[in-house]
Amino acid sequence: FPVTIDLSSFNVGGGVFNQISILELFELLKEDFGIEVKYKTGELRPGDQKYFVSDNSRVQRVTNWQPRIGIAAGIKLMVEAELKKLRLI
């Protein structure tokens, strides 16, 4: 059956229940994989976002999609896949 979908962009991400800060991500990588990310902080620049959480409501409404994998499990799957590609595990 034909389906019509508005092809404008969708905002897709973890949503409010799967949010993570960049510093929390660095800590997770260190704790779970021993990967220590070196970084330095600085002054906020014009346009920098202090906080962002994706609003998946439109993509959910149009496609019935919703996140099924939590942030920690998703990051673990992604890192393991990349390490396998590099033949490090």
Side-chain angles (χ1 to χ4, degrees):
F1 59 93
V3 176
T4 303
I5 295 178
D6 177 0
L7 296 178
S8 57
S9 63
F10 290 107
N11 187 3
V12 178
V16 71
F17 298 108
N18 283 301
Q19 60 187 325
I20 187 171
S21 74
I22 193 71
L23 295 178
E24 289 169 325
L25 172 62
F26 293 166
E27 186 61 28
L28 188 145
L29 291 172
K30 183 178 176 182
E31 288 176 3
D32 290 0
F33 297 98
I35 298 171
E36 192 158 351
V37 178
K38 295 182 181 185
Y39 65 92
K40 62 181 180 176
T41 59
E43 297 293 319
L44 284 176
R45 302 166 297 180
D48 279 352
Q49 292 180 318
K50 292 182 184 178
Y51 180 79
F52 175 80
V53 175
S54 61
D55 176 2
N56 298 326
S57 61
R58 183 168 177 273
V59 72
Q60 287 176 339
R61 185 177 66 253
V62 173
T63 68
N64 203 31
W65 176 88
Q66 61 182 339
R68 295 182 306 189
I69 298 174
I71 191 70
I75 290 169
K76 182 177 181 185
L77 288 169
M78 182 185 70
V79 169
E80 287 174 348
E82 292 301 314
L83 291 175
K84 281 181 184 177
K85 276 198 251 181
L86 296 170
R87 293 186 167 84
L88 296 175
I89 62 169

